[in-house]
Amino acid sequence: MTARTTARTRTALVIGGGIAGPVAAMALHKAGIEATVYEAYDDSVSKERSSRFGGGMTIAPNGQQALEAIDAAEAVRAIGTPVTALGLRSWTGRHLAQLAPPADLPTTRFVWRTELQEALVAEAARRGIALHRGKRLLDATDTGTGVTARFSDGSLARADILIGADGLRSTVRSLIDPSTPKPHYAGMLTFSASVPKSTELPSTEGVLYMCFGKRAYFAYQIQDDGSAVWSANLPHREPMTSTETQAVGAGEWLKRLREAFTDDRTPAPDLLAATIPSDLVITGPTETMPPIRTWSRGRMILIGDAAHATPPTSGQGASLASESAVELARCLRDLPPGEAFKAYESLRRPRVDRILKHATAAPTATSAAARTATPKPAGPLSRALRDALLPVAMKAGGGGSAVWGAWQFEHRIDWDERVG
Ligand SMILES: Cc1cc2nc3c(=O)[nH]c(=O)nc-3n(C[C@H](O)[C@H](O)[C@H](O)COP(=O)(O)OP(=O)(O)OC[C@H]3O[C@@H](n4cnc5c(N)ncnc54)[C@H](O)[C@@H]3O)c2cc1C
């Protein structure tokens, strides 16, 4: 073996300052590797950007445990609202199932994506990690002993390795494998909002409800003080870009959302009535990603959505992104880059594939939610069958924990365990 292949990684370029990027940089820092983050956008969170990228999401127990491994879980706890259980409801208002992760795990937290991103970036900065904004990666050259990145402002940066944490439409993924598949429009547009303390609706007491609406999917949680958060997926046959969705305007989308949920006997109509246009977050098109066959080439590697985007309804995207970021750093701490990349992939592939399969398989709670969040809501007969059979299926699965995949949440990374 040559000296070159056995040399440990000293420096890393992390492309993308979303979720996976700052987490990877903190994990690398903890592993003794100097990481610098390069983010395409030059502002922090402008209103327009917040609307485009700032939907609500949950950070599952396993995601928090990954952050705990690098002493960063407080960043989520500080901004996240606890979600003690997930509930499933029919459009008729009927409760179909309620599922809580094992009590000994961290409580799931609801966060706004932009707030999570800001919190992680702030925590990384507190640890002395540099994040450069306005640096959109265009190209990268692997010299065999390092990688040189070229950005849209004409600047260059060089390090031992380059990590692609640049999301669903990853540039690094295309550099690693130009034949890599592209995301597909999933036939739905996503919206979310927070509603101030103005509703008369009762608190959901920590439960986040996912509703099989008659025409569309709706999720909501109402706090004790009457404030609430909700998100909805509106079927929309014609693909729309984020920009096109924004251009329609919040007032018009709210009108269409109110029409879509008008028959539902859930809190959806009331929450939509209480939402003002300026509070509507128009996330835009929901996209799915075929499995990515190649995660690394030479000294470049992928993490987060760039490597393994999951359906939004799986509730695992940001959590899996955090896990992968921490695991990659652990591998790079203990092994030279080539071996570390192989070890990382063999640690991560089976878990990521299993979660992906689970998110699209019946009859789990998350997949049930995923199914209700489809462009083709069920017809009257399917709705009746589902409402009758789902509670039975959930009970048959050991109080739900087996069928809804409690195993996903238990994953814990032992930072001190050596790799290889
Ligand atoms: C509607 C919706 C709901 C979701 N709900 C959940 C949920 O409840 N729970 C959950 O865990 N996950 C959820 N997800 C998924 C979650 O948002 C993603 O899995 C997570 O954001 C992935 O993090 P990431 O860092 O890999 O990618 P991103 O968060 O997309 O970050 C990528 C970053 O890279 C930057 N970038 C892109 N290209 C370049 C370039 N060329 N050069 C430099 N920088 C670049 C981008 O600007 C961005 O900041 C949801 C997603 C959607 C769309």
Side-chain angles (χ1 to χ4, degrees), residues 43-383:
D43 55 346
S44 52
V45 185
S46 70
K47 176 66 186 161
E48 190 249 7
R49 180 160 152 65
S50 155
S51 191
R52 249 190 227 185
F53 298 100
M57 60 167 71
T58 53
I59 304 301
N62 52 297
Q64 292 179 58
Q65 290 183 153
L67 294 172
E68 199 69 72
I70 56 161
D71 318 304
E74 184 51 32
V76 171
R77 281 196 292 270
I79 58 162
T81 316
V83 176
T84 52
L86 292 180
L88 283 180
R89 292 184 77 175
S90 160
W91 70 280
T92 60
R94 184 176 165 203
H95 288 254
L96 302 175
Q98 187 157 308
L99 311 145
D104 57 339
L105 297 178
T107 307
T108 299
R109 300 267 164 173
F110 174 90
V111 294
W112 291 99
R113 186 184 168 285
T114 45
E115 288 181 11
L116 176 63
Q117 183 181 16
E118 284 188 334
L120 293 171
V121 165
E123 180 57 24
R126 202 184 62 78
R127 297 177 189 203
I129 294 162
L131 183 142
H132 301 292
R133 296 187 182 280
K135 298 279 182 183
R136 179 171 292 279
L137 179 83
L138 294 183
D139 201 1
T141 311
D142 184 338
T143 61
T145 54
V147 183
T148 303
R150 185 168 65 83
F151 299 98
S152 52
D153 63 357
S155 62
L156 301 174
R158 187 182 151 80
D160 293 342
I161 61 163
L162 181 146
I163 299 172
D166 50 348
L168 198 64
R169 302 187 169 279
S170 169
T171 300
V172 180
R173 190 170 62 219
S174 308
L175 293 173
I176 286 175
D177 177 8
S179 70
T180 193
K182 301 258 180 293
H184 298 306
Y185 174 59
M188 293 173 293
L189 304 173
T190 305
F191 305 87
S192 49
S194 51
V195 178
K197 304 167 189 180
S198 59
T199 69
E200 298 299 313
L201 295 163
S203 162
T204 56
E205 296 174 351
V207 181
L208 175 70
Y209 282 100
M210 299 182 287
C211 305
F212 295 93
K214 191 171 178 186
R215 300 185 188 85
Y217 165 84
F218 193 86
Y220 70 96
Q221 181 174 4
I222 303 169
Q223 305 299 343
D224 294 348
D225 64 5
S227 65
V229 290
W230 62 260
S231 71
N233 285 350
L234 200 59
H236 196 275
R237 197 192 302 262
E238 296 304 320
M240 288 183 89
T241 63
S242 287
T243 310
E244 288 165 347
T245 325
Q246 298 285 330
V248 172
E252 175 61 25
W253 283 124
L254 264 181
K255 191 171 140 255
R256 294 190 203 176
L257 284 161
R258 286 171 188 150
E259 281 164 13
F261 291 99
T262 187
D263 292 337
D264 287 14
R265 301 200 284 274
T266 66
D270 286 340
L271 289 172
L272 286 163
T275 304
I276 54 170
S278 58
D279 284 338
L280 186 72
V281 178
I282 305 169
T283 308
T286 300
E287 294 177 306
T288 55
M289 190 69 211
I292 309 298
R293 277 178 295 122
T294 313
W295 283 7
S296 73
R297 185 166 62 82
R299 287 176 169 261
M300 296 193 273
I301 188 146
L302 303 174
I303 57 172
D305 274 11
H308 47 64
T310 54
T313 40
S314 79
Q316 279 289 344
S319 296
L320 282 186
S322 302
E323 285 182 12
S324 289
V326 174
E327 288 288 39
L328 176 60
R330 207 165 65 85
C331 294
L332 287 163
R333 176 195 65 192
D334 297 342
L335 298 167
E339 287 173 47
F341 289 180
K342 276 195 198 126
Y344 159 75
E345 199 160 335
S346 58
L347 277 173
R348 296 304 294 156
R349 280 267 186 205
R351 174 161 171 79
V352 165
D353 289 349
R354 190 174 175 208
I355 287 180
L356 210 52
K357 214 165 155 188
H358 175 82
T360 46
T364 67
T366 42
S367 68
R371 271 157 210 282
T372 189
T374 62
K376 278 193 195 163
L381 182 62
S382 308
R383 283 202 300 263

